Amino acid sequence: MAGKKSILTPMSLNCNEINVILSELDLSGAFIQEIVQPGYDTLAFRVIKHGELSTLLICTSAQSCRICTTKNRVPKNDKPLRFNEFLRSNVQGMRINEARQLGLDRIIRLDISTWQQKFFMYIRLWSGAANVIVTDENGTILDCMFRRPKKGEVSGGTFTPVDRTPSAEEKTAALERFPVRQFDELDPTLSFNEKVDTFYSEHANSLSRESLLAQAEKWYTVRHSKMQSALEKLLEKQKQFSNASTLKHTGDLILAYAADAQGSYLDCEDYDTGKPVHIKLDAKLSPQENATVYYEQYKKAVSGMEALEHDIALSRRNIAALDAEYQSVLKEKNVIKIEQMLRHDTTPKQKIEKQFAGLHYEINGWTLIVGRTAAENDELLRHTVKGQDLWLHTRDYAGGYVFVKAKKGKTVPLDILLYAGNLAVYHSKARQNGQADLYYTQVKYLRRAKNGPKGLVIPTQEKNLLVKLDKDKLRTLDEYEK
């Protein structure tokens, strides 16, 4: 156990350190009570033995490969990961019959079983090639943390590592080459497990609080800069729209002095200020038509101002939420939780797997779903909506399908129906008109058009509904989108 002073450069556990860890853990006879996978390269087993509960942390991150107990709270993933689901279904609840390292190879084999089944779990702690592999008694792979087809590490493959007992000379040579670190800077009363957990929590590359906070600062700075830039553009546009009243006044002046119009311009005196005014006109249009153009621009500016005020308020709320989220990261002490928070927020959009097709809204306890394309409509009809759910679609206009999820014993309220109707008009060719006739019926009264394109349905027992777009309702829906 003697060795050199520990170096503050994180590295994976060596073979001798793994043996010390396993001797302290004494996992034989423990039961795996719960399995949590907070990240793609981290597992946590809550094991119980003789009534004592402990958390076993397994990390497969390069330069930080390790196994040890941890006192840090290990958070669950919002959406359980694939390997975690497999472990929960097949391994959780099993008894650990034996836990030992295979020779000096940094591969730990857990012999686990129930009265019906027996598996082997191999925990390979090699930097750059770490993995957790579960096999049956014959070595057939049931699943693994990282699937590597080129190495045969996939379900159905075979994994039978060499299990050779090293000689006394080999053990002595390994101990000289790979001494057990003493972690002299830590409390000497701590067990080796506790020292490893403390050291890696503070210094490991992947789970270092310092490095994670540096990532958080970069993430926050980039996102805040983009959001602030977008807000400034909205404020600039708002400043341009603030002169909307002058457009209406110009239209009034054109009508008041129509007789003085000179083709492409009108020179007159502003009856409000008494100052001379030069107004450009379209020579192809009459004074009345020119005035109408200014009135239309005024209406658009007023309408745009209302939408801008909503967008500006929403943008400011998003910036405030980002600030609050960043502060929560800074205050968090649990490095595993910080890593999880950052991973959720920095995953590229193209890599985020959607949990459902279309747009989903939750409003006043009701779920509204919008299919924007033929593929989304078809996906929703096949896998999401049921017979009692309500279906809405614009009549005589191409557009998406809108569904209202049914609630047992309740009729869809009028305000929810109008919200759904607004979504149907907005996501159709009728949007420019501002209104449209809709028909709606329950999903069970839809039938697929024979030999028709994907998603095309023919409704029966439908009812009619005329809906005019309500900007207030559409803005409200923005806040309820999931």
Side-chain angles (χ1 to χ4, degrees):
M1 295 271 303
K4 301 176 182 178
K5 282 191 176 182
S6 62
I7 304 171
L8 291 182
T9 301
M11 60 183 184
S12 300
L13 293 180
N14 64 44
C15 56
N16 295 301
E17 291 171 336
I18 289 173
N19 276 328
V20 175
I21 290 281
L22 292 178
S23 65
E24 287 187 357
L25 288 176
D26 188 22
L27 291 172
S28 299
F31 285 88
I32 302 173
Q33 190 177 69
E34 185 181 14
I35 301 174
V36 177
Q37 188 176 3
Y40 293 104
D41 55 10
T42 310
L43 278 173
F45 289 8
R46 294 195 173 98
V47 298
I48 188 167
K49 182 176 181 180
H50 303 315
E52 293 186 7
L53 187 66
S54 60
T55 301
L56 180 66
L57 182 73
I58 300 167
C59 182
T60 59
S61 176
Q63 304 303 318
S64 305
C65 293
R66 65 192 183 278
I67 180 171
C68 64
T69 54
T70 182
K71 292 184 179 179
N72 286 325
R73 183 178 63 86
V74 180
K76 295 182 179 180
N77 231 8
D78 293 336
K79 182 182 178 182
L81 301 175
R82 170 194 56 79
F83 190 52
N84 193 187
E85 288 289 86
F86 166 79
L87 293 176
R88 287 175 58 185
S89 300
N90 298 277
V91 174
Q92 189 165 291
M94 282 190 158
R95 181 182 187 273
I96 301 176
N97 303 310
E98 182 187 38
R100 67 183 180 87
Q101 182 175 191
L102 302 184
L104 299 171
D105 209 15
R106 288 185 294 159
I107 298 176
I108 301 167
R109 186 177 75 177
L110 300 184
D111 179 334
I112 53 180
S113 67
T114 64
W115 65 277
Q116 292 178 310
Q117 291 178 308
K118 181 175 181 178
F119 296 151
F120 291 116
M121 178 182 292
Y122 295 94
I123 304 167
R124 188 173 64 204
L125 299 178
W126 297 355
S127 283
N131 210 345
V132 178
I133 302 170
V134 180
T135 74
D136 62 15
E137 292 183 85
N138 299 316
T140 301
I141 298 175
L142 304 177
D143 206 347
C144 41
M145 178 180 275
F146 302 106
R147 291 174 174 171
R148 299 187 175 106
K150 291 183 179 180
K151 293 185 177 182
E153 295 177 5
V154 292
S155 300
T158 302
F159 187 75
T160 51
V162 176
D163 184 10
R164 186 180 67 85
T165 303
S167 65
E169 292 78 9
E170 288 174 325
K171 289 182 179 179
T172 301
L175 190 58
E176 291 178 357
R177 185 180 178 188
F178 305 111
V180 176
R181 286 169 288 176
Q182 298 303 302
F183 302 108
D184 294 331
E185 69 281 359
L186 301 179
D187 185 349
T189 63
L190 297 176
S191 68
F192 190 69
N193 264 276
E194 291 170 329
K195 288 179 179 180
V196 167
D197 184 42
T198 302
F199 174 78
Y200 280 92
S201 294
E202 294 176 356
H203 302 294
N205 290 335
S206 63
L207 292 182
S208 160
R209 190 169 188 275
E210 183 179 349
S211 64
L212 288 172
L213 291 182
Q215 291 179 40
E217 183 180 9
K218 181 179 179 180
W219 158 79
Y220 170 76
T221 302
V222 171
R223 290 196 61 181
H224 190 276
S225 176
K226 289 181 179 179
M227 294 169 75
Q228 188 64 38
S229 177
L231 175 60
E232 289 172 0
K233 288 180 181 178
L234 291 173
L235 292 172
E236 181 63 29
K237 203 169 185 179
Q238 185 186 45
K239 189 183 295 183
Q240 295 173 6
F241 282 2
S242 63
N243 297 322
S245 58
T246 59
L247 295 170
K248 182 177 182 300
H249 186 58
T250 300
D252 293 340
L253 288 174
I254 293 173
L255 291 180
Y257 296 100
D260 299 331
Q262 301 294 323
S264 61
Y265 68 93
L266 168 64
D267 289 323
C268 61
E269 182 181 287
D270 190 328
Y271 49 74
D272 281 345
T273 63
K275 295 180 179 180
V277 178
H278 178 78
I279 302 172
K280 292 183 179 180
L281 302 176
D282 186 338
K284 297 178 182 179
L285 303 178
S286 66
Q288 290 75 18
E289 289 172 331
N290 272 286
T292 300
V293 170
Y294 278 96
Y295 288 143
E296 288 296 326
Q297 291 176 358
Y298 165 72
K299 289 179 182 178
K300 288 182 179 179
V302 171
S303 176
M305 179 66 80
E306 293 175 357
L308 272 175
E309 289 173 353
H310 170 264
D311 291 343
I312 289 170
L314 185 61
S315 182
R316 283 175 171 155
R317 283 201 302 272
N318 289 338
I319 291 175
L322 177 67
D323 292 340
E325 192 172 356
Y326 180 53
Q327 290 302 315
S328 69
V329 171
L330 295 180
K331 293 176 183 177
E332 181 60 54
K333 302 299 182 184
N334 187 337
V335 291
I336 299 175
K337 180 64 176 177
I338 296 175
E339 189 271 341
Q340 189 182 63
M341 293 164 74
L342 288 176
R343 176 167 46 80
H344 284 175
D345 288 307
T346 57
T347 304
K349 287 185 178 180
Q350 63 269 27
K351 291 188 178 180
I352 297 176
E353 182 179 349
K354 290 198 68 175
Q355 298 179 9
F356 40 67
L359 301 175
H360 285 222
Y361 300 85
E362 293 287 343
I363 184 165
N364 298 336
W366 292 84
T367 301
L368 280 61
I369 309 174
V370 181
R372 297 159 294 180
T373 64
E376 284 187 350
N377 292 336
D378 187 65
E379 175 71 16
L380 291 170
L381 286 166
R382 289 180 183 277
H383 303 294
T384 305
V385 298
K386 297 182 180 179
Q388 300 297 322
D389 299 336
L390 200 63
W391 169 87
L392 298 91
H393 187 253
T394 50
R395 185 186 290 275
D396 302 324
Y397 289 97
Y401 293 167
V402 177
F403 301 93
V404 181
K405 294 292 290 179
K407 298 176 73 173
K408 190 173 182 180
K410 293 189 177 182
T411 303
V412 178
L414 178 59
D415 64 322
I416 298 299
L417 189 62
L418 291 175
Y419 276 119
N422 269 268
L423 286 171
V425 176
Y426 185 81
H427 291 281
S428 74
K429 297 292 185 181
R431 185 195 303 185
Q432 298 299 325
N433 296 341
Q435 67 177 45
D437 286 317
L438 307 178
Y439 41 21
Y440 65 96
T441 188
Q442 289 181 309
V443 171
K444 64 183 178 182
Y445 296 126
L446 301 175
R447 64 181 178 83
R448 294 186 180 277
K450 189 175 182 180
N451 300 323
K454 178 185 288 189
L456 181 63
V457 294
I458 299 173
T460 59
Q461 299 193 31
E462 71 273 19
K463 297 180 181 178
N464 295 317
L465 181 69
L466 173 63
V467 173
K468 294 183 179 180
L469 282 181
D470 186 327
K471 294 177 182 176
D472 291 334
K473 278 187 165 53
L474 290 173
R475 289 172 191 149
T476 301
L477 284 165
D478 282 344
E479 300 175 6
Y480 287 94
E481 184 179 352
K482 291 177 68 178

